[in-house]
């Protein structure tokens, strides 16, 4: 008879039968785990830039684009309608005060100046003739007055004699009356002559004063014309660099047209523009940081234009170091207007991982994994974003542009 199989033997037999199936199950499970891990998106650590969240001060700012321009630029315009005869200097030339730049055609202005000189000469002659006429009139009137005065004295003497004779009855009353009338008539004539002299003197004085005023006006016009003729050879009124010149010889220029610009390139300022949405946040006196790559200088908003142009606000920046060696005319720079200062916040270095403040998605590195994490960023400047929530000090994040992985919740880091 067969003996009963021991329990341990049966268990070993069952184990031998189930062992291959268990091995297959384990291998399949391991394959699924490792396969899923292998299929998970991955990145190379040396292909991305990372940064850590830290605590520190932060200056909130808004950005603008700026252009470096000379702090002082002198505009030289044409004083007359003329043609360009010769260009004496070229853009970039160093100038001293008084150096000629452009010579303009002065033929028409010289003709005007010559006519003015002739008018002045004619007016001088008229003034001299008027003065001689006055002197002649006065001399004639003085002679008439002297003659009439002598006549009056004679008539008065005759009247006195006739009055004495009439008292003694030796002269008729009619003869006495005639003698009195002659003396009175002579007195009236003498008074009329004296008044005529006063009137003639006043009239001629007024004529001479009028001629003097006309002479003064002509001399002022002549002086102005001479000054314009001097300006037709345009000259620099200061030391500087020629930044623009009308270099087309023979070109017609109108009075007031700009023919040259002379700039003092030892000092600069910045003209900046920003979106009109920032209009209420930019005020005169605000601190400003001006940057070109790693070169930085500071300043303050000096002028804010009251009107918008094409949706942009324009303002000027006075620099604390207007003579910084790296500043160049027409150089494009980044302008950062400081709107607020926070002494201590969580901050992270600015990078392409975020396009601005508000809600963002960033990848936080932990061991060999990068986990997609929602965060909220606050104010920012050229260098930093403020971290409002979602990150802690010491967290390491990927600062590179990760838009290609925006749907991946997790990445392998190799």
């Amino acid at each position: 008879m067969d003996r009963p199989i021991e329990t341990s033997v049966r268990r070993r037999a069952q184990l031998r039968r189930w062992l291959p199936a268990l091995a297959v199950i384990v291998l399949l499970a391991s394959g699924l785990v490792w396969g899923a891990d292998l299929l998970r998106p991955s990145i190379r650590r040396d292909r991305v830039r990372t940064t850590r969240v830290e605590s520190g001060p932060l200056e909130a700012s808004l950005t603008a684009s700026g252009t470096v321009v000379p702090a002082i630029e002198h505009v030289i315009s044409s004083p007359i309608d003329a043609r360009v005869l010769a260009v004496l200097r070229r853009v970039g030339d160093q100038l001293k005060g008084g150096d000629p730049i452009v010579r303009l055609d002065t033929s028409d202005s010289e003709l005007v100046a010559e006519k003015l000189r002739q008018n002045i000469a004619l007016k001088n002659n008229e003034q001299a003739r008027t003065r001689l006429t006055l002197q002649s009139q006065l001399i004639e009137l003085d002679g008439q007055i002297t003659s009439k005065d002598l006549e009056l004295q004679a008539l008065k003497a005759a009247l006195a004699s006739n009055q004495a004779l009439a008292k003694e009855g030796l002269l008729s009353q009619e003869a006495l009356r005639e003698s009195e009338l002659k003396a009175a008539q002579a007195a009236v004539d003498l008074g009329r002559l004296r008044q005529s002299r006063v009137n003639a003197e006043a009239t001629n004085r007024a004529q001479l004063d009028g001629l003097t005023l006309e002479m003064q006006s002509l001399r002022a016009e002549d002086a102005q014309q001479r000054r314009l003729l001097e300006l037709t050879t345009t000259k620099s009124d200061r030391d500087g660099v020629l930044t623009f010149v009308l270099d087309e010889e023979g070109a017609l220029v109108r009075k007031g047209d700009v023919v040259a610009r002379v700039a003092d390139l030892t000092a600069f300022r910045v003209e900046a523009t920003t979106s009109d949405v920032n209009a209420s946040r930019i005020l005169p006196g605000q601190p400003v940081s001006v940057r070109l790559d790693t070169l930085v200088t500071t300043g303050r908003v000096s002028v804010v234009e009251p009107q918008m142009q094409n949706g942009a606000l324009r303002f000027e920046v006075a620099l604390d170091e207007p003579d910084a060696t790296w500043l160049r005319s027409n150089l494009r720079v980044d302008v950062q207007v400081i709107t607020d200062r926070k002494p201590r916040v969580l901050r992270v270095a600015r990078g392409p991982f975020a396009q601005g403040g508000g809600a963002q998605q960033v990848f936080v590195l932990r061991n060999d994994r990068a986990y997609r994490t929602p965060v909220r960023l606050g104010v920012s400047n050229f260098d930093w974003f403020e971290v409002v929530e979602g990150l802690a000090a010491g967290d390491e994040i990927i600062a590179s542009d990760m838009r290609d992985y925006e749907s991946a919740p997790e990445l392998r880091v190799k």
Side-chain angles (χ1 to χ4, degrees), residues 56 88 109 176 233 281 350 365:
L88 307 177
S109 296
L176 178 61
T233 300
R281 302 173 60 193
R350 196 180 183 105
L365 291 171

Side-chain angles (χ1 to χ4, degrees), residues 120-163:
I120 290 173
L122 290 172
K123 197 60 66 176
N124 269 329
N125 182 267
E126 182 181 355
Q127 194 175 39
R129 286 188 289 105
T130 302
R131 189 175 289 108
L132 289 174
T133 300
L134 171 61
Q135 291 176 353
S136 297
Q137 289 178 351
L138 294 179
I139 289 172
E140 182 179 355
L141 286 171
D142 285 341
Q144 293 177 5
I145 290 171
T146 301
S147 176
K148 186 59 69 174
D149 187 48
L150 291 174
E151 181 183 350
L152 178 60
Q153 291 178 15
L155 290 172
K156 285 181 177 179
L159 176 60
S161 178
N162 289 338
Q163 287 174 342

Side-chain angles (χ1 to χ4, degrees), residues 83-141:
R83 292 187 180 277
V84 178
L85 288 182
V87 179
L88 307 177
R89 298 282 182 160
R90 298 296 176 184
V91 172
D93 287 355
Q94 291 282 345
L95 300 177
K96 297 291 185 182
D99 285 350
I101 302 172
V102 174
R103 185 182 299 118
L104 302 177
D105 181 8
T106 62
S107 55
D108 291 341
S109 296
E110 288 176 350
L111 180 60
V112 172
E114 181 61 28
K115 287 182 179 179
L116 282 171
R117 286 192 290 270
Q118 291 176 1
N119 288 337
I120 290 173
L122 290 172
K123 197 60 66 176
N124 269 329
N125 182 267
E126 182 181 355
Q127 194 175 39
R129 286 188 289 105
T130 302
R131 189 175 289 108
L132 289 174
T133 300
L134 171 61
Q135 291 176 353
S136 297
Q137 289 178 351
L138 294 179
I139 289 172
E140 182 179 355
L141 286 171

Side-chain angles (χ1 to χ4, degrees), residues 124-228:
N124 269 329
N125 182 267
E126 182 181 355
Q127 194 175 39
R129 286 188 289 105
T130 302
R131 189 175 289 108
L132 289 174
T133 300
L134 171 61
Q135 291 176 353
S136 297
Q137 289 178 351
L138 294 179
I139 289 172
E140 182 179 355
L141 286 171
D142 285 341
Q144 293 177 5
I145 290 171
T146 301
S147 176
K148 186 59 69 174
D149 187 48
L150 291 174
E151 181 183 350
L152 178 60
Q153 291 178 15
L155 290 172
K156 285 181 177 179
L159 176 60
S161 178
N162 289 338
Q163 287 174 342
L165 291 174
K167 284 182 180 181
E168 295 179 0
L170 299 176
L171 185 68
S172 66
Q173 290 295 319
E174 183 179 353
L176 178 61
R177 181 64 178 168
E178 183 179 355
S179 179
E180 290 175 346
L181 289 175
K182 288 181 178 181
Q185 183 64 45
V188 171
D189 291 341
L190 179 60
R192 185 183 299 113
L193 286 172
R194 285 174 175 167
Q195 186 60 45
S196 295
R197 188 187 190 285
V198 171
N199 293 341
E201 189 174 16
T203 300
N204 284 277
R205 187 183 299 111
Q207 291 179 354
L208 288 174
D209 290 343
L211 290 173
T212 299
L213 290 174
E214 291 181 15
M215 284 288 294
Q216 291 176 351
S217 177
L218 287 172
R219 287 195 176 101
E221 290 182 25
D222 182 59
Q224 175 68 9
Q225 194 63 27
R226 290 177 184 275
R227 190 180 72 84
L228 290 177

Side-chain angles (χ1 to χ4, degrees), residues 207-344:
Q207 291 179 354
L208 288 174
D209 290 343
L211 290 173
T212 299
L213 290 174
E214 291 181 15
M215 284 288 294
Q216 291 176 351
S217 177
L218 287 172
R219 287 195 176 101
E221 290 182 25
D222 182 59
Q224 175 68 9
Q225 194 63 27
R226 290 177 184 275
R227 190 180 72 84
L228 290 177
L229 285 173
E230 291 178 359
L231 291 175
T232 53
T233 300
T234 54
K235 299 178 181 179
S236 174
D237 66 345
R238 67 188 68 221
D239 295 350
V241 176
L242 187 62
T243 57
F244 167 79
V245 65
L246 187 64
D247 56 1
E248 297 179 10
E249 294 187 357
L252 177 64
V253 293
R254 298 296 182 185
K255 182 178 180 180
D257 287 351
V258 176
V259 296
R261 295 178 186 271
V262 180
D264 178 7
L265 298 185
T266 61
F268 297 90
R269 57 187 173 88
V270 173
E271 293 181 350
T273 57
T274 187
S275 172
D276 56 1
V277 300
N278 298 323
S280 61
R281 302 173 60 193
I282 297 182
L283 301 171
Q286 284 179 312
V288 174
S289 176
V290 177
R291 176 174 302 198
L292 177 66
D293 297 330
T294 59
L295 302 171
V296 181
T297 188
T298 57
R300 290 190 175 273
V301 176
S302 58
V303 177
V304 179
E305 293 190 3
Q307 294 182 342
M308 309 296 171
Q309 297 182 8
N310 300 321
L313 173 70
R314 298 175 60 87
F315 60 96
E316 295 182 8
V317 177
L319 300 175
D320 295 333
E321 295 181 88
D323 56 349
T325 56
W326 59 272
L327 295 174
R328 295 290 185 276
S329 182
N330 293 325
L331 184 67
R332 303 289 296 180
V333 293
D334 294 320
V335 177
Q336 178 184 6
V337 182
I338 310 301
T339 58
D340 190 15
R341 285 189 169 94
K342 297 187 176 183
R344 192 170 185 82

